[in-house]
Amino acid sequence: MRKKIVAGNWKMNKTLEEGLALASEIIAQVAQNVPADTVVVLNTPFIHLTEVRKMIPTGTNIFLGAQNCYTEASGAFTGEISAAMLKSIPVEYTIIGHSERREYFQENNQQLAKKLDLLLEQGITPIFCCGESLGIREAGTHLDFVKNQVTESLFHLSYEQMTQIVIAYEPIWAIGTGKTATAEQAQEMQAAIRQYIASKYGDELAEGLSILYGGSVKPDNAREIFAQPDVDGGLIGGASLKTSDFLEIAKSF
C-alpha cells in the first residue's frame, strides 16, 4: 500500500511568529480532520524548524520537513544547511530539486543526486521534484525530459535506497500561475514515471513508491487529482499557507 502524502511547502513565507501560529493551527486540527492513514508534512523555512519540531506530538501522522539542503556534508559554505544539521533537529523529510531551485539557483540533476545521497545517509526521506516547462510541454518532449531528470538524479541509487524516496511531479507551468494540469495530464506523467522506474527496479518497487502532484492544487481540484490511480497526494504551495485550505486538501483522498 502506497503512502498517501500531503506536504505543505511554505516557500519563503511567514515570519517566525506567523509560522508558529500557522503550524499550531494545522497541528491542532489534523487529528480531528485528517484520516490517520494520510501523512501530513510541514515543509517550513529553516527558521521555523526547531520550534515546530517541539509542537508536533509523538505517534502522530504529522511530520516535519525542510525545503532544501546543501550538496556537501560540512565545511566552509557560508549560509548553507547540511543534511546532518537537518537530522539533528530532527526532520523526517526534505524537498530537493523544486523547480524554483532549478530555475533561480541553476541546480542540476548531478547536484541533486549528491543531495539525495546525503539525505539518505542521514535517514531523511527526500521529496525529489521533477517536471517540465511550458515550452517543453508544448514541444511534446515532456515525457523524455522528466525521464532524463529521473535517470540522472535517481538511477544511481540501490534498490533499498530507492524504496526510501518520494517523487513529486510538478509541471512548472502550473506552479503559482493559477493554471493546473488536468487530472488526466497528471495521471499520464505520473504513470510514465512509475513505469520508467519499474523498468529499472521492477514492478514491486515502483508500485510501492509514492508519487505526488504539485502545481496549484486547491480544495476545489484536489479530490479529482488525488483520485487518479498514480497520484498519491500533493506537494502544496500557496494553499498550504491557509489552514482551512490545507486541511481540506488533506481530506481529499
Side-chain angles (χ1 to χ4, degrees), residues 6-11 13-14 17-35 38-45 48 52 55-57 60-65 236-251:
V6 175
N9 176 17
W10 294 7
K11 306 190 180 184
N13 292 293
K14 303 295 183 184
E17 182 179 2
E18 293 167 344
L20 297 184
L22 175 61
S24 178
E25 289 179 354
I26 293 172
I27 292 166
Q29 296 186 45
V30 163
Q32 291 80 24
N33 292 280
V34 180
T38 297
V39 172
V40 175
V41 186
L42 302 181
N43 294 93
T44 79
H48 303 94
V52 175
M55 298 165 65
I56 298 175
T60 181
N61 58 332
I62 307 171
F63 296 87
L64 184 64
I236 315 301
S240 71
L241 300 174
K242 185 176 180 180
T243 301
S244 60
D245 285 356
F246 185 61
L247 292 173
E248 194 64 33
I249 292 169
K251 294 189 294 182

Side-chain angles (χ1 to χ4, degrees), residues 93-234:
Y93 291 81
T94 297
I95 299 168
I96 60 168
H98 191 280
S99 61
E100 292 157 2
R101 299 293 311 179
R102 293 177 186 265
E103 180 180 359
Y104 303 144
F105 302 98
Q106 288 77 55
E107 292 186 357
N108 60 44
N109 295 329
Q110 290 71 32
Q111 290 173 315
L112 298 178
K114 294 177 69 175
K115 293 185 181 189
L116 275 164
D117 292 344
L118 291 167
L119 289 170
L120 290 170
E121 285 175 10
Q122 295 297 329
I124 298 171
T125 300
I127 301 176
F128 172 77
C129 299
C130 56
E132 82 282 3
S133 67
L134 182 59
I136 291 170
R137 164 67 66 163
E138 291 179 339
T141 58
H142 50 289
L143 294 176
D144 287 339
F145 181 83
V146 171
K147 286 178 180 179
N148 184 64
Q149 290 180 319
V150 170
T151 300
E152 293 189 354
S153 294
L154 302 183
F155 274 11
H156 70 288
L157 297 176
S158 69
Y159 185 99
E160 178 59 30
Q161 288 174 317
M162 196 69 178
T163 66
Q164 299 169 36
I165 71 164
V166 172
I167 293 176
Y169 164 61
E170 39 170 35
I172 298 169
W173 45 273
I175 298 174
T177 63
K179 298 180 181 179
T180 308
T182 66
E184 292 75 21
Q185 286 172 319
Q187 168 59 23
E188 175 199 35
M189 178 62 83
Q190 300 199 193
I193 293 170
R194 198 178 305 282
Q195 291 164 9
Y196 188 52
I197 290 171
S199 71
K200 180 173 175 66
Y201 293 96
D203 291 339
E204 183 176 359
L205 183 147
E207 286 302 315
L209 189 70
S210 292
I211 305 179
L212 314 183
Y213 170 79
S216 297
V217 178
K218 299 178 175 64
D220 61 1
N221 62 29
R223 192 169 300 277
E224 181 184 11
I225 294 170
F226 292 177
Q228 301 305 305
D230 287 288
V231 178
D232 304 308

Side-chain angles (χ1 to χ4, degrees), residues 83-98:
M85 290 175 178
L86 296 176
K87 180 64 175 180
S88 71
I89 293 172
V91 307
E92 291 97 357
Y93 291 81
T94 297
I95 299 168
I96 60 168
H98 191 280

